[in-house]
Amino acid sequence: MNNNEKRQHPRLPVEVEVELHRSNRSMCLVWTDDLSSGGVLLTMNGHGDWPPVGSRVQIRVSGPLGGDEEAPLVDAIVVRHTEVGIAVQFDETYVQ
């Protein structure tokens, strides 16, 4: 890890299709770029309406898991925009 980086968790390159859910918006399909235990970078794939920094979103792995179980929705907060998408931090404290 670069000494100038502020990351607390190591990141792994992982490409998985996920659903991005936002209040008052249609769900859209995006891809993960990298993943850590604290968050994930999502590639927005040409979706022009990015959620603003500080907004709450939910993400879910697209498609069934083993045994046809649906993956859970995971609460997250948008922490920054990148050239290709958004970085979100998992929010285990948020209760709807």
Side-chain angles (χ1 to χ4, degrees), residues 59-75:
I59 57 175
R60 173 184 7 231
V61 172
S62 181
L65 300 177
D68 293 328
E69 273 187 57
E70 186 174 57
L73 280 170
V74 176
D75 294 316

Side-chain angles (χ1 to χ4, degrees), residues 53-87:
V53 172
S55 63
R56 295 188 180 280
V57 297
Q58 292 181 308
I59 57 175
R60 173 184 7 231
V61 172
S62 181
L65 300 177
D68 293 328
E69 273 187 57
E70 186 174 57
L73 280 170
V74 176
D75 294 316
I77 300 170
V78 179
V79 293
R80 74 178 182 282
H81 289 175
T82 71
E83 291 180 12
V84 297
I86 60 172

Side-chain angles (χ1 to χ4, degrees), residues 2-21:
N2 182 331
N3 289 336
N4 295 328
E5 292 187 19
K6 299 176 186 175
R7 295 187 176 136
Q8 297 175 354
H9 308 283
R11 298 209 168 254
L12 299 171
V14 176
E15 291 185 9
V16 176
E17 187 177 51
V18 297
E19 301 171 0
L20 175 63
H21 297 262

Side-chain angles (χ1 to χ4, degrees), residues 13-48:
V14 176
E15 291 185 9
V16 176
E17 187 177 51
V18 297
E19 301 171 0
L20 175 63
H21 297 262
R22 303 180 278 167
S23 307
N24 304 318
R25 299 275 197 274
S26 298
M27 180 273 293
C28 63
L29 293 174
V30 298
W31 286 84
T32 63
D33 185 68
D34 63 35
L35 174 70
S36 77
S37 61
V40 63
L41 176 62
L42 300 174
T43 304
M44 293 299 288
N45 302 330
H47 295 285

